[in-house]
Amino acid sequence: MTSPLDQATIDLLGVLAYGELTAFERLASDARLAPSLGDKHELATMAAAEFEHYRRLHDHLVASGVDPKEAMAPFVGPLDGFHDSTPPNDWLEGLIKAYVGDGLATDFYREVAAFVTDPPTRDLVLEALADTGQASFAVGKVREATAADPALAGRLALWARRLVGEALIQAQRVAVERDALTELLVGGSGDLAGIGRLLARLTDNHTARMQALGLQH
Amino acid sequence: MTSPLDQATIDLLGVLAYGELTAFERLASDARLAPSLGDKHELATMAAAEFEHYRRLHDHLVASGVDPKEAMAPFVGPLDGFHDSTPPNDWLEGLIKAYVGDGLATDFYREVAAFVTDPPTRDLVLEALADTGQASFAVGKVREATAADPALAGRLALWARRLVGEALIQAQRVAVERDALTELLVGGSGDLAGIGRLLARLTDNHTARMQALGLQH
């Protein structure tokens, strides 16, 4: 069966599906660090929502005649690399990783999704990117913790900066290896100046998230 | 709001809910050990099914006017104790833990559920105990691995024995601390001879699972 999807779209669905699957695993693992049953419940609920996104992307690939394992395979190295290089040391680092890391990924995927030509795929991707509740939960918990212990803020701000650095390293790897995906992005934004503006938008959103956490002024 | 549920039933729902929540966390974490994307998919799917069971037990407690956090709290120590004392060293140990550990727990809960007097609660408990697919998946993978490397069987059989030992230690803790739950069980089976027969049934089922795995003859 030939797929109606082009290689760039398959790549996008593959990286998104494996991203959701690893997000699921990591959030569920981090639930073990939760200081209370209520916090554990919140994190496990978010993890389950990520799995539901994964399942829909997976099923969409199957329905489009694409083997999800093949679509995800090129992104296992970069995404595992990101997670292996950034294991959270405690509950707060885990929350920040969920919020900052997933926020950055979500912004990026949303930019790319705009260039997807297959309408059902575009709708599904945008749906998979819907916030699962990390945002307000993480912001509330981090602000509470830094209010109680202001010295925490410095360490957590450094942690967030490290997350962004590691994410950029892995994104670079993907860009070099996946021509179709990179083309979709460069083609979509028209020129290299467009890429520059895209990076500026990603950076602005990241700064807004750091401000929401109270970790940047 | 007073709950229509008695303490024994609340205890049962509490231990079952926290059991599903920890099973979810552990299966999702163990998915990281999966040797292939297909295996990871299977394990993550099972984990998500456990979460769905948890969510329904949680919601049933809320609808019955019981705070799920309070219902689960007495069982956090024993269940975390079991999991902390039995971290799987590899993918196969994780699979056996999912199969043998959850099998044992499921048998036990099913016995207790028979004595629950509230029909909607009993139906929900039996539903939460439905096999999520661990059984045939784990059996297939373990048999495949021991066929390829027969020396594995000894180590894996010892691992399964250790799991049962640790589970009994924690079950003992629960029995001592939770009078209502223990009463439900002793009262339900009528007498201590009934408890003996119950333990015999649990042991028989465990032996059947070990035979299915090819780890006992």
Side-chain angles (χ1 to χ4, degrees), chain A residues 125-196:
Chain A
V125 168
L126 290 174
E127 210 178 316
L129 296 178
D131 179 25
T132 48
Q134 273 105 318
S136 58
F137 181 72
V139 166
K141 291 288 168 180
V142 171
R143 282 194 164 266
E144 219 172 85
T146 51
D149 178 6
L152 268 178
R155 169 167 72 85
L156 295 177
L158 276 178
W159 167 247
R161 200 168 304 170
R162 216 186 110 213
L163 290 174
V164 174
E166 295 289 342
L168 285 177
I169 290 171
Q170 301 302 337
Q172 181 89 355
R173 254 179 91 179
V174 170
V176 168
E177 284 167 25
R178 304 308 293 176
D179 287 348
L181 194 60
T182 310
E183 263 306 305
L184 177 69
L185 199 60
V186 179
S189 51
D191 51 26
L192 285 175
I195 294 279

Side-chain angles (χ1 to χ4, degrees), chain A residues 32-86:
Chain A
R32 291 159 69 169
L33 303 170
S36 78
L37 275 173
D39 291 330
K40 194 189 273 279
H41 172 88
E42 290 296 330
L43 216 62
T45 302
M46 286 175 207
E50 305 275 12
F51 181 81
E52 181 55 25
H53 291 160
Y54 160 74
R55 201 189 52 73
R56 297 175 76 164
L57 292 161
H58 175 275
D59 292 353
H60 184 65
L61 281 164
V62 171
S64 306
V66 178
D67 180 347
K69 291 193 286 294
E70 280 176 32
M72 291 191 285
F75 307 105
V76 169
L79 279 159
D80 285 358
F82 171 70
H83 287 294
D84 290 344
S85 64
T86 55

Side-chain angles (χ1 to χ4, degrees), chain B residues 30-67:
Chain B
D30 293 348
R32 290 158 69 168
L33 303 170
S36 78
L37 275 173
D39 291 330
K40 193 189 274 279
H41 173 88
E42 290 296 330
L43 217 62
T45 302
M46 287 176 207
E50 305 276 12
F51 181 81
E52 181 56 23
H53 291 161
Y54 160 74
R55 200 186 55 70
R56 297 175 75 165
L57 292 160
H58 175 275
D59 292 353
H60 184 64
L61 281 164
V62 172
S64 307
V66 178
D67 179 347

